[in-house]
Amino acid sequence: MILLLVALLLGALLPSCAAAPEPYKVLKPPLDTPWTYCAGIKPWTAKYPRPQLRRALWQSLDGIWTFQPTDGRDGQPLPSLPLKQEVLVPSCIESGLSGVQAMGVTTMWFGTRFSVPPPWTSNRRVLLHFEAIDYEATVYINGAKVGSNRGGYTRFSMDITDHVIHHDDSNEIHVYVFDPTDDWSIPQGKQTKRLSHIFYTPCTGIWQSVWLESVPEQRISDLDITADMTGNVTVTIHSNKKQGTPLELSIIDTHTGKTVAAEQLISDQTLSFTVDSPKLWTPDSPTLYNVTVKMGEDEVASYTAFRTISSGIVDGVKRPLLNGEFVFYFGPLDQGYWPDGIYTPPTPSAMLHDLELVKRLGMNMVRKHIKVEPEVFYEACDRMGLLVIQDMPSMRVFDNRRPSDVEQAEFGRQLEVMVRQLRNHPSIAVWVIYNEGWGQITDHHPEFELTERVRALDPTRLVDAVTGWHDHGAGDFHDNHHYAEPQCGTPWYSQPNTAYSPNRSAIQGEFGGIGLRPDNANLWPLRPAVDTINETYEIHAGIESYHYRARTLLRLLREQIERYACSGAVYTQTTDVEGEVNGLMTYDRRVVRIDEEAWREDIRRLFEAASKRRGDGSLVA
């Protein structure tokens, strides 16, 4: 009896064991890809998440975390770890790869435990980085609130050194996430809770990588570097102390290993110097130069490229220029959706698979459509030689309501964050502000002011203020959308587009979109998508007419290049997406729908036609 009482007393005093979370497993998505079941639980851990600011001491936190929905707002008591269910990070909780595959969750917790090597906290600081969480996130370390972020597409970081209690794996991270998707007017791209033909399954949660980094007390916080076709390099090395600290910067030719510049600079000041006869970056020859920066105990590695994006008059026509020459932009609308991962590609090789098809066809560009990708995507474009037209993720406002002043201000703030985050990538050539009027105020024209804000942040690129309609003359492009035939710089146009304005470069922001229903094995089978397949811009009964029509559209585009002022075009699209069956590939990436040989020949002829429009090469900037 006494032993029983002692046992009961000890049981009351000892902490109870939390119930084990539901174990992780890949859930069968409505449609899988060749990578779904072999992705594993750490597909992104080998990739340094920020390739333009690399350090030696870092640790990925990607892998299995735990998750649970909550009905409460942030500020409630933190739930005990582990949470109820294991989840894969990074992933969208709506995806099969997440192990959750839940729709309609608005508020939720994520949690994990982590360790920090003892040397990391010895006269050093520990930074916690999140590459993207959709949409609002509040972060707690060992019970203490350490930071928050709003915006579903861009990175944020925090110094957690003072909150790291242990060096073993008993340190705890809690992340509270709130994601209204399209219940609020926020930058959300094509995500929706109201599934329809051109709006798709949303992405909620920690959908890009999480990682730790050990840094010195005084450190490089960011690096802005541009290098132009003349060899002029303009650089600002930002430091966390902002004290004007001496530093060393080197630029190395990656092919020869030769140091082409070794400069003594000062942090937090914008300085310029010149490199003699640099090799220029182009889609045909995407030459990159390695960069190293040393400031005291801190050393970072990066890269840059010598190239100039501008516009000018070529043979009487306003053109976009690369290194002083008219280069025709041609490539697909690239939405970056995956049937198994939604926003998160199942693996890095899956992500590269899409870009490799684009490059294999002879295209030189992708339009990243109202989504911001992980930085390793842009690094791949830098290295492969693919120009990027980068969209700002759109707001959508329902019930014919204009955005409020608060919503508009937040859209502008997140636009600036995106530009700052991505502006060092040589592949990015154009910033897009508004797509097809979504979230665009039309009783006055804020795109003029936003264009100037983007130019002030990044004067080295062009701005496409309005792709689609509601064009009032802002930015560097006259950009219309027309399906299926192009209307690119032509003396005719269709509503709701506007007449070509010769003071800006003409680009066909979207065209094509011809569709062919795939076999059921390659089709996203959910009813809201299947029921809207016939809303695809042009549906074909069979492969023969599909191939004929594709060649016809590319011929029409070539004729407009030859006759009129067409400077670029975006074909819709890289892959099918849910109910849209108009991709170069099916949504599962298993079937390349187009005739690759015919497309390569037709694309070659597009660029050949554009090269004949260069005239004598005289330019007026």
Side-chain angles (χ1 to χ4, degrees), residues 118-183:
W120 278 30
T121 55
S122 177
N123 298 315
R124 295 179 68 85
R125 309 298 292 179
V126 178
L127 304 183
L128 172 62
H129 303 291
F130 294 89
E131 293 305 293
I133 298 179
D134 199 350
Y135 170 71
E136 291 183 355
T138 307
V139 181
Y140 300 82
I141 301 296
N142 294 321
K145 181 178 177 179
V146 295
S148 60
N149 184 72
R150 176 182 296 142
Y153 296 93
T154 47
R155 67 193 183 204
F156 61 101
S157 303
M158 52 202 66
D159 186 333
I160 64 169
T161 315
D162 296 338
H163 304 284
V164 173
I165 301 172
H166 317 286
H167 288 109
D168 60 18
D169 62 359
S170 59
N171 292 286
E172 293 187 343
I173 300 177
H174 286 77
V175 182
Y176 174 85
V177 175
F178 167 63
D179 184 15
T181 312
D182 49 358
D183 290 338

Side-chain angles (χ1 to χ4, degrees), residues 1-13:
M1 185 67 177
I2 294 174
L3 291 175
L4 177 61
L5 289 172
V6 170
L8 291 173
L9 181 61
L10 288 173
L13 294 174

Side-chain angles (χ1 to χ4, degrees), residues 391-408:
D391 290 10
M392 172 63 190
S394 298
M395 289 191 296
R396 294 199 311 282
V397 181
F398 299 96
D399 302 322
N400 296 315
R401 180 180 63 83
R402 77 193 295 279
S404 69
D405 291 345
V406 171
E407 291 165 345
Q408 181 66 18

